[in-house]
Amino acid sequence: MVFALADLLGRTWKCESCGLTHHVPTKWVSIAKGAFELLANFAIRVGKNQVAVVVADEITWEVAGREVANLLKEAKWKVCEIILPLPLHATDEAANRLLISWSHDASLAFAVGSGTINDLVKWVATQVKVPYIVIPTAASMNGYTSPISALLIQGLKRTQPCQPPEGVLTEPEIVASAPQKMTAAGYADLMSKTVADVDWQISNLLWGEHYCPMPRRLVAEADEWLQERLKSLANNETEAVAGLLEALLISGVGMTIAGSSTPSSGAEHLISHWLEMKALSEGKEPALHGFQVGIGTLIALTIYEMLLETKPKDWKPTEDEVVKPDERKAEFELRYGAIAEKVLSEFSAKWLSKGRAEEARQKLAANWEQLKGFVVSTWVQPEIHRQHLETIKAPTHPKEIGVSLDELREAILHAREIRRRWTVLDTAYLVGLLPEQVDHLLKRCKWL
Ligand SMILES: [Zn+2]
Ligand SMILES: [Zn+2]
């Protein structure tokens, strides 16, 4: 293992930084050549009987699923094999279908795959209260060890609290044999923390949301290691891809420490979720999660850059901001159709009356220097991040993921509505940067 991940696994400790007691339920991680030889040993420690469910999709079954099932059978396990057809999306429908085909005798489950398989198995395993082991087949996202499952529920992206896996096991060659675009997506997803951590600190400042610096520190070490290997990631070299996977697992553990996706999911993820919801509602195949996140990150970094150039005395929010969400029903129905009511309820949860918005602005102004410090602590210049994304062959222009500039503009303006979490999109509205400056923002993104 390259990073200090092993020191955290299975541990409970009182945090010196934030005072809370943190617990990491995931007990072991093995990313090594020959790791599969340990599979039956790990399984017997976790399962109460020798009945397991192995879930994969049509591709990951061939890559690793069949081997996992065979190894279990050789060790005298009864195996319920579930091979999900492609295309597959993490929706409530798919999760319920999986629940129906699940063997309810099983005392252990295996999620063989990447993002979607992981979200689905994690959700079902939590419902049926069965521990599960993740067999990652790509370093494509940071949700493997997180305590949440991101599902599209009746068309609206929601994160459900779920149990993290008991363990993670895979072979570097398997992960490095995934298409390079998945590696690129994983790196882009990991780098969301450059925005999400600042969003979180501002939420702590404005609303007293609990903040712990540990998730950021954990990923910082991995970050440096990866910066030196961007070209290797672009070539899908085994050592670099395995290191990226480990960094993604650390990032997931950071979410477990925080008890939510907050350290890794800010404005950039809202933009990603918005684009994904839009694509699926139009019957289109959405781009890889990390690719959407990468583009969202560039936008959010640029908003922070613009925010720091403003002066508190010039902050002037638009009059629309004081319109009560209830009075905007027609507008939401037009934009969101059948899910308008649910979106409105998310948006209402963070809507600020004129008085509360003024208080928030005053708080922000009074702590302006501190806020700049937050930004400097994790923020990177958008152009530098764009170059990194380009180096690892991740898209930086929305058209590369089938999104027009108009759609991106819509996402910037409205993504904040779909979730109650406070992000830089809300801060931008609070001080009047949005919606007025949206075109200026797009112009500033010179790569667009
Ligand atoms: Zn802490
Ligand atoms: Zn993500």
Side-chain angles (χ1 to χ4, degrees):
M1 235 177 257
V2 185
F3 312 116
L5 180 57
D7 300 344
L8 302 166
L9 299 172
R11 274 192 59 204
T12 302
W13 72 98
K14 184 146 166 70
C15 180
E16 284 176 12
S17 304
C18 79
L20 280 194
T21 297
H22 298 309
H23 173 57
V24 178
T26 302
K27 295 186 183 64
W28 43 266
V29 167
S30 179
I31 312 167
K33 200 169 165 54
F36 276 12
E37 288 162 24
L38 307 169
L39 190 128
N41 274 345
F42 282 133
I44 206 78
R45 278 196 246 156
V46 186
K48 289 203 183 80
N49 59 14
Q50 282 188 254
V51 184
V53 178
V54 175
V55 185
D57 65 36
E58 291 166 344
I59 293 177
T60 61
W61 177 256
E62 297 302 329
V63 172
R66 181 180 287 118
E67 190 180 352
V68 168
N70 286 343
L71 285 166
L72 289 168
K73 284 184 216 163
E74 278 168 25
K76 307 273 183 287
W77 283 69
K78 195 175 141 202
V79 181
C80 163
E81 300 169 355
I82 303 177
I83 306 164
L84 300 170
L86 293 168
L88 183 66
H89 302 116
T91 62
D92 48 350
E93 258 181 14
N96 284 319
R97 271 202 306 273
L98 177 58
L99 184 58
I100 290 166
S101 28
W102 198 269
S103 161
H104 291 277
D105 304 337
S107 64
L108 176 62
F110 286 83
V112 186
S114 58
T116 305
I117 290 285
N118 181 65
D119 278 322
L120 293 172
V121 173
K122 189 186 291 200
W123 185 80
V124 175
T126 303
Q127 303 311 306
V128 299
K129 298 189 173 59
V130 161
Y132 69 101
I133 291 171
V134 176
I135 314 286
T137 54
S140 56
M141 54 100 219
N142 62 1
Y144 292 117
T145 44
S146 77
I148 49 134
S149 168
L151 291 183
L152 210 62
I153 297 180
Q154 290 167 359
L156 181 62
K157 193 85 169 180
R158 302 256 193 182
T159 49
Q160 310 281 311
C162 281
Q163 66 188 66
E166 191 71 17
V168 181
L169 180 143
T170 197
E171 306 222 358
E173 293 294 341
I174 288 180
V175 188
S177 67
Q180 193 278 334
K181 65 179 181 182
M182 300 192 82
T183 305
Y187 176 81
D189 196 27
L190 182 73
M191 296 314 284
S192 64
K193 52 105 188 169
T194 53
V195 172
D197 190 82
V198 192
D199 283 355
W200 189 16
Q201 292 191 67
I202 291 179
S203 188
N204 168 262
L205 174 82
L206 287 178
W207 315 116
E209 186 182 349
H210 183 83
Y211 176 77
C212 174
M214 202 172 164
R216 184 187 75 207
R217 287 188 204 138
L218 287 173
V219 185
E221 185 198 352
D223 192 8
E224 254 172 57
W225 190 90
L226 290 168
Q227 296 304 327
E228 291 162 10
R229 288 165 180 79
L230 294 180
K231 291 222 168 79
S232 307
L233 290 171
N235 294 325
N236 239 14
E237 287 170 23
T238 307
E239 189 214 18
V241 179
L244 172 62
L245 176 61
E246 213 179 300
L248 290 163
L249 298 178
I250 290 178
S251 172
V253 165
M255 291 189 250
T256 294
I257 287 171
S260 74
S261 63
T262 323
S264 305
S265 174
E268 77 301 323
H269 268 72
L270 291 186
I271 291 173
S272 155
H273 295 336
W274 206 89
L275 294 174
E276 183 186 350
M277 281 165 51
K278 179 140 200 313
L280 287 173
S281 74
E282 291 170 356
K284 293 187 204 155
E285 189 58 27
L288 286 174
H289 167 72
F291 284 179
Q292 297 164 340
V293 169
I295 285 172
T297 303
L298 290 174
I299 295 294
L301 290 172
T302 310
I303 298 177
Y304 269 119
E305 192 174 56
M306 288 168 71
L307 182 67
L308 290 195
E309 289 167 9
T310 65
K311 293 198 177 67
K313 68 175 177 52
D314 300 327
W315 292 346
K316 250 189 224 83
T318 95
E319 282 303 311
D320 286 354
E321 279 302 280
V322 296
V323 179
K324 287 191 179 132
D326 270 0
E327 291 163 25
R328 295 177 63 179
K329 263 189 188 153
E331 178 198 336
F332 274 64
E333 270 162 20
L334 206 62
R335 190 147 57 239
Y336 297 104
I339 59 168
E341 209 170 301
K342 288 196 198 81
V343 176
L344 201 58
S345 112
E346 287 297 309
F347 184 58
S348 302
K350 64 179 172 185
W351 176 79
L352 301 174
S353 64
K354 199 170 183 176
R356 285 196 70 210
E358 189 47 42
E359 274 172 38
R361 270 187 297 277
Q362 281 174 11
K363 212 175 210 178
L364 212 52
N367 294 281
W368 195 226
E369 289 309 312
Q370 194 187 353
L371 182 139
K372 284 185 185 171
F374 296 161
V375 177
V376 170
S377 67
T378 56
W379 180 82
V380 287
Q381 279 179 17
E383 176 51 26
I384 301 285
H385 188 50
R386 192 198 65 78
Q387 287 168 15
H388 290 168
L389 291 178
E390 201 174 69
T391 308
I392 56 142
K393 301 184 196 162
T396 57
H397 195 291
K399 73 168 191 270
E400 295 172 75
I401 58 165
V403 171
S404 69
L405 274 184
D406 278 346
E407 285 169 320
L408 180 63
R409 189 177 184 278
E410 288 289 291
I412 295 166
L413 290 175
H414 302 299
R416 67 174 181 144
E417 293 161 358
I418 60 173
R419 191 160 189 202
R420 59 190 66 200
R421 177 168 296 165
W422 187 270
T423 74
V424 72
L425 296 170
D426 301 293
T427 309
Y429 270 91
L430 182 70
V431 305
L433 260 182
L434 287 176
E436 264 76 8
Q437 306 255 2
V438 65
D439 292 315
H440 177 60
L441 162 67
L442 288 169
K443 251 188 230 141
R444 259 184 102 120
C445 301
K446 292 204 174 66
W447 58 92
L448 294 178

